[in-house]
Amino acid sequence: MALARFGRQVKRQHGVCVKMTAVAILGLCFIFVWSMFSSPSTSVTVQRESFDDIAEPVASGTMVSKSKGNEFEKHDSNDHKKKVESDLKKKDEKKVNGSLPSPAHEHKSGKKNEKHVSNRKKDKDRPKVSSEVSKENQENQKQEESQGEEAEKETEEEEEVLVDGKEEGLDGEGEEKVEIEGDADVGESVDQQTEEVVENENEGKKRKIKGPVFDPKAHYSWKLCSTRSKHNYIPCIDVESGFTRLQSYRHGERTCPKAPPMCLVPLPHDGYDSPVRWPESNLKILYKNVAHPKLAAYMKNHNWLIKSEEYLMFPQNQSEFKGGVVHYLESIEEMVPDIEWGKNIRVVLDVGCSDSSFVASLLDKDVLTLSLGLKDDLVDLAQVSLERGFAAIVSPFARRRLPFPSGVFDAIHCGQCTIPWHSHEGKLLLEINRFLRPGGYFILSTKHDSIEAEEAMNTLTSSICWNVLAHKTDDVSEVGVKIYQKPDSNDIYTLRRRKNPPLCKEQENPDAAWYIPMKTCLHTIPSAIEQHGTEWPEEWPKRLETYPEWLNNKEKAIDDTKYWKNIVDKSYLTGMGIDWSTIRNVMDMKAIYGGFAAALLQQKIWVMNVVPIHAPDTLPFIFERGLVGIYHDWCEPFGTYPRSYDLLHADHFFSRLKNRCKHPVSIVVEMDRILRPGGWVIVRDKVEILDPFEAILRS
């Protein structure tokens, strides 16, 4: 009845006014209902482009620890305590890992107290770390501060960069992550990050305040890993399923457990002794340190490895190649005179890691070779290379890109190669083409067992415009050697009759490499001056101190080199009690410009420069300098065998995690896995991080 009466009113003379009143009433009702059910403030999610409003805590320090099996010793190093200015000057930059030339990381220095803690002893009478600094050291501190002000040490950009390919899952193929046995029993909560939402009254914005990297109240009790691979356990590569016990338990790709490994890898059953020192390790290593059933079977058919009493011997000039590896290298130079080992050819990738004598002979020619151990159920020779003191990584090579930027290796070698390059639309060779430098060389040695495979390889290399520089069968080694050269410009691509494989799309980032599936397209050759790879580097060793045009903020890279030379010369080499004659394999867990590696070059060591995937991409420049490195996400285990490194270096590494990893303590567990007994750890970070870090080491 009320509605009918209202309708009759509308039809009368004042109907328009009634309509207007009704609309106004309905509008007010809508506003009232909306205000009741909506939040009192508006939240907008944005990506931070500047960190200028974040202050860097003042206190920081340096911890140097020495591993002794499952124990750590600690020494004082008061004579060389220094204050180092290392506060950060933030830089606006959005970059995805592997992007083209990244601006240098800009830093603003601030005074920090630095404490040197080395060789943590397990006994009760641990020496206390003095906080006093002599006047002489204070003068040294001031000099170091002035030299370090402009040095680039850190970047606040890490949290802003996405993990390449992680959003794609595991290549979209439904791979599952498998949990492992032997997790640690952790009291309290292990590194559970507490978050508190704080509202800024002035700006009306909300921000999160996160808890410490390591939970200072946590208590740890550790178990040994109980895995099939035992003392050679490599998480994410050695994957064991609880449903089956097949002979082959290694997957074709990285398959990490849902929860990070929280167990300690045991030592070999027959024990583990300190490795033979370099350069003697070039000729012999302790057999029990690398003992493996398949290695014993492999040695029966290969004369370049000889077991003599407790040692595994490597006779000089003995190799997989008949006539010796020296003859093999000389024949390559004769075939292509433009190949000058140790001059224009400095950084080489050896695919397969079948013969570390090839790497040893190249080292004599001042060539730094990184061996790629293809992890399968064959013999584990990458571990032999690492024990000898040569650079090596372990990685599957099947469907995902290898963790290298594009166009960085001067030459790539595959000796006695059995890889089916032509299969799967040539994916593997296209991946080689991606990170081979424009104008670089691909050296393939193989026995011609299949005419069909050779023809397919010829068709594939022609389709990607590789030029065959030389092809002959060596009379002595009876091995056919082919040397290809990648084009150094895009002109030849336009002349192809068949556009197969096609050119990659412009938005396809050739440097993106972490969890990125291999592509069946051909990346164009860089041509713009701001892109790396447009010109061949200077000859070695001049390239170490050469800063190319495409590098942004060259001054920062130069200062980084000077800064680390000062730190290494005045502190690391003299003030930490490290016997550097025992150090050969070194890892920089958060490399920026490779300044740390360059500073140690005269120590006859090699450094694996790890660029975290959430940091700005400086890895192309590291290769440009004639050094080697790799991308890695430290929330996951590293691709190497246990007991691979003599020294681990972490400069403001943990303070830059920014709570990315759910269990940062798992990184400490991983450090324990890849560090040799008796090895060293140098950690430079804030005091509030070093104290709980030391507690974890004690546990």
Side-chain angles (χ1 to χ4, degrees), residues 48-56 90 200 203 207:
R48 177 184 289 274
E49 297 189 15
S50 174
F51 290 83
D52 292 335
D53 58 330
I54 300 180
E56 178 78 11
K90 291 77 185 179
N200 190 323
E203 300 180 2
R207 61 187 178 90

Side-chain angles (χ1 to χ4, degrees), residues 102-117:
S102 165
H105 324 326
E106 192 169 3
H107 295 275
K108 161 171 83 171
S109 295
K111 295 182 180 179
K112 296 186 178 183
N113 294 324
E114 185 174 291
K115 67 177 181 181
H116 298 267
V117 185

Side-chain angles (χ1 to χ4, degrees), residues 21 100 201 462 632:
T21 304
L100 293 173
E201 297 179 358
S462 298
H632 185 62

Side-chain angles (χ1 to χ4, degrees), residues 66-259:
K66 182 178 180 181
S67 168
K68 296 189 68 175
N70 292 329
E71 302 176 7
F72 280 83
E73 291 185 342
K74 180 172 75 176
H75 291 298
D76 282 346
S77 183
N78 296 328
D79 293 338
H80 291 267
K81 293 186 171 116
K82 304 176 189 290
K83 283 187 179 180
V84 180
E85 294 189 348
S86 61
D87 277 359
L88 307 176
K89 185 176 181 180
K90 291 77 185 179
K91 179 84 175 171
D92 289 345
E93 176 191 9
K94 284 190 204 175
K95 287 282 182 182
V96 176
N97 172 32
S99 59
L100 293 173
S102 165
H105 324 326
E106 192 169 3
H107 295 275
K108 161 171 83 171
S109 295
K111 295 182 180 179
K112 296 186 178 183
N113 294 324
E114 185 174 291
K115 67 177 181 181
H116 298 267
V117 185
S118 59
N119 290 14
R120 292 179 38 220
K121 286 185 177 179
K122 193 176 180 181
D123 54 33
K124 297 181 180 179
D125 300 328
R126 292 189 178 88
K128 296 182 180 180
V129 179
S130 172
S131 60
E132 298 179 359
V133 183
S134 66
K135 293 182 179 180
E136 181 180 355
N137 286 335
Q138 289 177 356
E139 294 298 325
N140 292 335
Q141 291 169 5
K142 293 179 181 179
Q143 294 177 4
E144 186 174 324
E145 289 168 5
S146 62
Q147 294 176 0
E149 283 183 359
E150 299 299 327
E152 172 165 15
K153 290 176 63 249
E154 231 348 283
T155 178
E156 287 282 359
E157 198 64 33
E158 296 176 357
E159 195 175 35
E160 300 308 312
V161 185
L162 296 177
V163 178
D164 283 345
K166 274 296 190 181
E167 290 76 8
E168 301 179 21
L170 296 177
D171 299 343
E173 300 190 14
E175 298 181 12
E176 295 183 357
K177 293 186 176 182
V178 184
E179 297 209 19
I180 64 169
E181 300 177 6
D183 288 347
D185 294 331
V186 184
E188 306 290 339
S189 58
V190 180
D191 300 315
Q192 296 298 322
Q193 308 304 320
T194 58
E195 295 187 357
E196 179 183 358
V197 178
V198 179
E199 185 171 355
N200 190 323
E201 297 179 358
N202 297 329
E203 300 180 2
K205 296 180 180 179
K206 292 184 178 181
R207 61 187 178 90
K208 291 181 179 180
I209 296 180
K210 299 184 178 181
V213 175
F214 299 115
D215 185 357
K217 297 181 180 179
H219 301 284
Y220 306 93
S221 59
W222 304 100
K223 299 178 181 178
L224 294 181
C225 297
S226 176
T227 58
R228 179 175 175 180
S229 40
K230 300 177 182 177
H231 57 274
N232 287 327
Y233 177 49
I234 307 178
C236 299
I237 293 179
D238 295 344
V239 181
E240 301 188 7
S241 173
F243 301 101
T244 180
R245 286 287 181 177
L246 299 177
Q247 181 179 1
S248 175
Y249 63 95
R250 285 166 181 159
H251 289 201
E253 292 296 341
R254 283 179 64 91
T255 307
C256 294
K258 294 179 181 178

Side-chain angles (χ1 to χ4, degrees), residues 327-342:
H327 170 77
Y328 176 70
L329 293 176
E330 289 176 349
S331 66
I332 291 175
E333 286 187 297
E334 292 175 1
M335 294 167 65
V336 183
D338 288 340
I339 294 179
E340 297 180 281
W341 302 116

Side-chain angles (χ1 to χ4, degrees), residues 18-76:
V18 175
K19 289 179 180 179
M20 296 296 292
T21 304
V23 171
I25 294 173
L26 290 175
L28 291 173
C29 292
F30 174 78
I31 293 173
F32 174 76
V33 173
W34 178 82
S35 63
M36 290 292 293
F37 290 95
S38 66
S39 62
S41 62
T42 302
S43 176
V44 181
T45 302
V46 296
Q47 185 178 31
R48 177 184 289 274
E49 297 189 15
S50 174
F51 290 83
D52 292 335
D53 58 330
I54 300 180
E56 178 78 11
V58 175
S60 72
T62 300
M63 173 185 292
V64 184
S65 300
K66 182 178 180 181
S67 168
K68 296 189 68 175
N70 292 329
E71 302 176 7
F72 280 83
E73 291 185 342
K74 180 172 75 176
H75 291 298
D76 282 346

Side-chain angles (χ1 to χ4, degrees), residues 663-675:
H663 301 287
V665 72
S666 66
I667 301 175
V668 185
V669 176
E670 177 64 4
M671 293 169 70
D672 175 82
R673 186 185 73 86
I674 66 178
L675 185 67

Side-chain angles (χ1 to χ4, degrees), residues 479-625:
V479 172
V481 180
K482 257 189 180 180
I483 303 178
Y484 302 88
Q485 186 176 30
K486 178 180 175 178
D488 57 3
S489 70
N490 294 308
D491 297 340
I492 195 170
Y493 291 154
T494 61
L495 302 177
R496 295 186 304 164
R497 292 182 179 179
R498 296 182 59 190
K499 309 299 182 183
N500 186 31
L503 295 180
C504 298
K505 298 178 180 179
E506 291 185 2
Q507 63 269 26
E508 178 67 38
N509 183 5
D511 290 341
W514 188 253
Y515 280 87
I516 296 294
M518 293 180 185
K519 310 295 182 182
T520 54
C521 61
L522 193 61
H523 286 284
T524 57
I525 305 298
S527 57
I529 192 172
E530 65 272 9
Q531 293 178 296
H532 69 85
T534 54
E535 295 182 355
W536 196 272
E538 296 283 349
E539 288 189 354
W540 180 262
K542 187 177 179 180
R543 67 190 285 181
L544 182 67
E545 303 296 337
T546 301
Y547 303 90
E549 291 297 326
W550 52 263
L551 179 66
N552 295 320
N553 294 329
K554 296 181 187 178
E555 296 77 10
K556 300 299 179 183
I558 294 173
D559 289 343
D560 179 78
T561 300
K562 294 179 180 178
Y563 177 84
W564 281 113
K565 179 173 176 52
N566 184 53
I567 293 292
V568 169
D569 290 346
K570 294 185 178 182
S571 180
Y572 286 11
L573 296 181
T574 58
M576 293 187 172
I578 299 176
D579 182 1
W580 287 91
S581 65
T582 65
I583 305 298
R584 173 62 184 170
N585 301 354
V586 177
M587 175 185 285
D588 190 357
M589 299 178 66
K590 190 186 66 60
I592 300 180
Y593 291 112
F596 171 72
L600 287 172
L601 200 60
Q602 298 302 319
Q603 299 302 314
K604 304 302 180 183
I605 66 173
W606 68 272
V607 178
M608 176 61 73
N609 295 279
V610 182
V611 175
I613 53 95
H614 56 277
D617 182 19
T618 54
L619 192 53
F621 174 65
I622 290 174
F623 276 95
E624 191 81 4
R625 303 187 71 173

